Amino acid sequence: MKLTEATEKFIQAWGTLGSSWGINRTMAQVHALLLIAPESLSAEDIMEKLSISRGNANMNIRALMDWGLVSKELKPGERKEFFSAEKDIWKVATQVMKERRKRELEPVLKVLQDVSVVEGDKKNKDIKAFNDTIKNIKGVVTKADKTLEMLIKADESWFVASFLKLLK
Amino acid sequence: MKLTEATEKFIQAWGTLGSSWGINRTMAQVHALLLIAPESLSAEDIMEKLSISRGNANMNIRALMDWGLVSKELKPGERKEFFSAEKDIWKVATQVMKERRKRELEPVLKVLQDVSVVEGDKKNKDIKAFNDTIKNIKGVVTKADKTLEMLIKADESWFVASFLKLLK
DNA sequence: CTGAAGTTTCAATAAATAATGAAAGAATAG
DNA sequence: CTATTCTTTCATTATTTATTGAAACTTCAG
């Protein structure tokens, strides 16, 4: 396979993966492009290679920066801004977990907490069933949350880090 | 909090969680409704409680069955079909992991495999950078895939099962 | 300053996705 | 059979989400 073809296929696949996980397709494509770019790229480079508008490029670049996956680079002598992506995919995964945990898991945990004190007859069948299910869900979601927290902090802990090696 | 209010909040939260993870909002709401329903519900019950159309209800119930999260029940003497959700959230999580792994991770792994044999000068900077990045990504994605496989099979393996308890 | 080069914003538009509901299709009680 | 009850399908419509591109804004060299 030729490099250009491989590049396109990869960008396409990464975009599809992103969009099935709730990440804007174009955002994932910009990310893919930067991941495999040997040099940092300008907004114009990105617009051109993905055939997208200036505004779209700008928005998605910014979103990627918000997620901590892409950073701005200023080349001396150049006025334009250049962008590059973190190449270490483990770090990328960690960063994504961190963000999603904060943005999505935590609000759900909060609702589960709120919702787990239902007033009324403890012997009422409906109330009992509701409480049991919520308790169960809360348990699993909390566990998932803790597991993610652990994975995110893995790099700071040799114990977990060495444990993770077992998974390789 | 009253049961009705709690129910609504939970359905709402589950729907939001679903839609930020690439799962149709209504599908997640139907799932939530069935999760906390003490009895199995008919299509009509679901339509009514979520204020959705017959077609919509039908589509999403079927999708949930495809995902293996909901099953059809036939009550003796009743002509209608009734539906109920798996209440054990760990099983739900396992099932979701299994499906998404199959539907999304495996196609990406395939592309990564295809794309990792780029023709040309091995010393060419661009080709080298591309190959390195793809190799790195493939490593992490493969590891994620294996980890999921392990988690999915956890129930069948006392070793992994007892290991998972450590995470609690 | 001033203007050229670059970036950001956002209302308008396009594209993708989901929901409706009526019609067609099944299943079954009588 | 066939009338009734229930389920499924799918063209149409509505909603949501993403994209465009022109105008406003920023930065900085001269």
Side-chain angles (χ1 to χ4, degrees), chain A residues 1-3 5-7 9-10 13-14 17 19-23 35-39 87-90 93 100-101 104-105 107-108 111-112 114-115 117-120 124-127 129-130 133-134 136-137 140-141 143 146-147 150 163-164 167-168, chain B residues 1-3 5-7 9-10 13-14 17 19-23 35-39 87-90 93 100-101 104-105 107-108 111-112 114-115 117-120 124-127 129-130 133-134 136-137 140-141 143 146-147 150 163-164 167-168:
Chain A
M1 194 182 297
K2 295 274 166 41
L3 181 57
E5 192 196 345
T7 301
K9 277 207 174 182
F10 173 67
W14 207 242
L17 183 66
S19 66
S20 65
W21 285 88
I23 285 161
L35 267 181
I36 55 176
E39 306 283 354
K87 297 280 164 48
D88 179 337
I89 299 297
W90 175 249
R100 301 207 80 159
R101 177 168 171 259
E104 291 145 19
L105 226 43
V108 169
V111 172
L112 288 173
D114 291 351
V115 126
V117 250
V118 171
E119 297 160 7
N124 177 299
K125 188 185 62 182
D126 293 359
I127 292 184
F130 182 85
T133 304
I134 294 294
N136 180 221
I137 295 174
V140 174
V141 176
K143 218 175 294 168
K146 294 267 184 276
T147 304
M150 187 191 76
F163 166 71
L164 277 175
L167 297 179
K168 280 182 190 172
Chain B
M1 194 181 296
K2 294 275 167 39
L3 182 58
E5 192 196 346
T7 301
K9 277 206 175 183
F10 173 68
W14 207 242
L17 183 65
S19 66
S20 64
W21 286 88
I23 285 161
L35 267 182
I36 56 177
E39 305 283 353
K87 296 282 165 46
D88 179 336
I89 299 297
W90 175 250
R100 301 207 80 158
R101 177 167 172 259
E104 292 144 20
L105 225 44
V108 170
V111 171
L112 288 172
D114 291 352
V115 126
V117 249
V118 171
E119 296 160 8
N124 176 301
K125 188 185 58 176
D126 292 357
I127 292 183
F130 182 85
T133 304
I134 294 294
N136 181 221
I137 294 173
V140 174
V141 175
K143 218 176 294 168
K146 294 267 185 276
T147 305
M150 188 191 75
F163 166 71
L164 277 175
L167 298 177
K168 283 181 187 174

Side-chain angles (χ1 to χ4, degrees), chain A residues 41-49 52-54 57-58 61 80-83:
Chain A
L41 303 178
S42 68
E44 212 130 313
D45 295 335
I46 292 167
M47 288 165 58
E48 217 169 82
K49 301 222 181 190
I52 60 176
S53 72
R54 183 170 296 286
N58 185 274
I61 290 167
K80 265 187 279 199
E81 295 173 338
F82 290 81
F83 304 93

Side-chain angles (χ1 to χ4, degrees), chain B residues 3-163:
Chain B
L3 182 58
T4 43
E5 192 196 346
T7 301
E8 275 164 29
K9 277 206 175 183
F10 173 68
I11 291 173
Q12 176 58 39
W14 207 242
T16 305
L17 183 65
S19 66
S20 64
W21 286 88
I23 285 161
N24 181 314
R25 168 189 198 71
T26 304
M27 179 173 158
Q29 288 183 338
V30 173
H31 186 230
L33 181 60
L34 289 172
L35 267 182
I36 56 177
E39 305 283 353
S40 57
L41 303 179
S42 69
E44 212 130 311
D45 295 334
I46 293 168
M47 288 165 58
E48 216 169 83
K49 302 222 181 189
L50 299 179
S51 313
I52 60 176
S53 72
R54 185 170 295 287
N56 198 6
N58 184 274
M59 296 254 245
N60 285 299
I61 291 168
R62 190 142 43 78
L64 284 165
M65 291 197 294
D66 285 350
W67 278 72
L69 298 175
V70 160
S71 55
K72 195 181 279 191
E73 271 175 25
L74 295 171
K75 291 195 188 176
E78 291 259 29
R79 194 135 156 206
K80 267 187 277 199
E81 295 174 337
F82 290 80
F83 304 93
S84 68
E86 169 60 58
K87 296 282 165 46
D88 179 336
I89 299 297
W90 175 250
K91 283 191 190 160
V92 172
T94 300
Q95 194 59 34
V96 171
M97 284 190 247
K98 200 184 214 162
E99 289 291 327
R100 301 207 80 158
R101 177 167 172 259
K102 188 173 70 197
R103 297 178 194 204
E104 292 144 20
L105 225 44
E106 283 177 5
V108 170
L109 271 175
K110 187 173 175 319
V111 171
L112 288 172
Q113 191 57 49
D114 291 352
V115 126
S116 61
V117 249
V118 171
E119 296 160 8
D121 181 3
K122 291 287 184 297
K123 293 200 183 95
N124 176 301
K125 188 185 58 176
D126 292 357
I127 292 183
K128 203 173 170 314
F130 182 85
N131 283 336
D132 286 354
T133 304
I134 294 294
K135 198 173 163 191
N136 181 221
I137 294 173
K138 210 162 69 175
V140 174
V141 175
T142 303
K143 218 176 294 168
D145 189 58
K146 294 267 185 276
T147 305
L148 283 180
E149 190 185 19
M150 188 191 75
L151 286 175
I152 291 166
K153 288 188 177 154
D155 298 323
E156 299 160 19
S157 150
W158 73 262
F159 173 74
V160 177
S162 64
F163 166 71

